[in-house]
Amino acid sequence: MRAARTLAVTATAFAALGLAAPLATATNGPSNVTVPLQSERGGDGSNGVTVSPFAVHQGAILTITVRGCAGGTVTSNAFPTTTLPAAVNGVSTATPRIFNNATPGQYNLAVQCNGRTLTQPFRVLAGQGAQGGLGGSLAPSSTEMAVGGSLVAAAALGGGVFIARRRRMTGAGV
């Protein structure tokens, strides 16, 4: 009988801690995760222009990198004219947003830079990309913290009561 009770209290304590642990560790994860974007055919860089990603959804952001450009503009039918800022370490980057109603298909962008025009193809895909949202990147709410704290407190209280009763029962038999 004692073994069954001990097992039940232990299981309850582990369940309470197991349910509270994800909440406790959710805010202590990595604060800065960098995931490099891979380009399918974003240019070989031979003309100094690369796009990433090569295939981009309507409404998404396209990253344009230009080497050896002191600043200029980037134009395309798929996004509004974008200013290319002055180079930092010989590299300029622009991030235009593709129009929500851009027709899916192949496009070209033109970079006006240092009195010359550089072009690079890219593709617009149909539909909006995944909207990842905030997911688990926010801290738990006060309600979630209260529930987690009460589960841990209940487990601790239950374990304390069990140990106190067990000591009282073994002490009376001596």
Side-chain angles (χ1 to χ4, degrees):
M1 182 65 119
R2 285 187 193 177
R5 228 179 305 165
T6 304
L7 182 61
V9 169
T10 303
T12 303
F14 278 117
L17 287 174
L19 291 172
L23 279 177
T25 60
T27 59
N28 295 329
S31 61
N32 186 10
V33 178
T34 303
V35 179
L37 296 173
Q38 299 296 320
S39 60
E40 180 182 318
R41 283 187 339 210
D44 58 6
S46 60
N47 67 355
V49 179
T50 57
V51 295
S52 180
F54 171 76
V56 62
H57 285 279
Q58 297 166 323
I61 301 293
L62 180 69
T63 301
I64 303 160
T65 305
V66 184
R67 297 197 182 285
C69 182
T73 59
V74 182
T75 57
S76 174
N77 293 339
F79 56 81
T81 299
T82 305
T83 301
L84 191 63
V88 176
N89 294 329
V91 178
S92 297
T93 303
T95 54
R97 184 175 179 276
I98 304 297
F99 292 128
N100 288 335
N101 59 354
T103 304
Q106 193 78 14
Y107 285 86
N108 284 313
L109 60 88
V111 177
Q112 298 292 327
C113 168
N114 300 335
R116 60 186 178 152
T117 302
L118 306 170
T119 62
Q120 187 65 44
F122 67 97
R123 184 181 313 139
V124 174
L125 302 173
Q128 302 294 315
Q131 300 297 317
L134 297 174
S137 66
L138 293 178
S141 68
S142 58
T143 304
E144 292 169 332
M145 291 301 291
V147 169
S150 63
L151 286 172
V152 171
L157 181 63
V161 168
F162 173 75
I163 290 173
R165 288 190 65 205
R166 184 171 181 205
R167 283 189 182 162
R168 206 174 354 168
M169 289 175 67
T170 58
V174 174

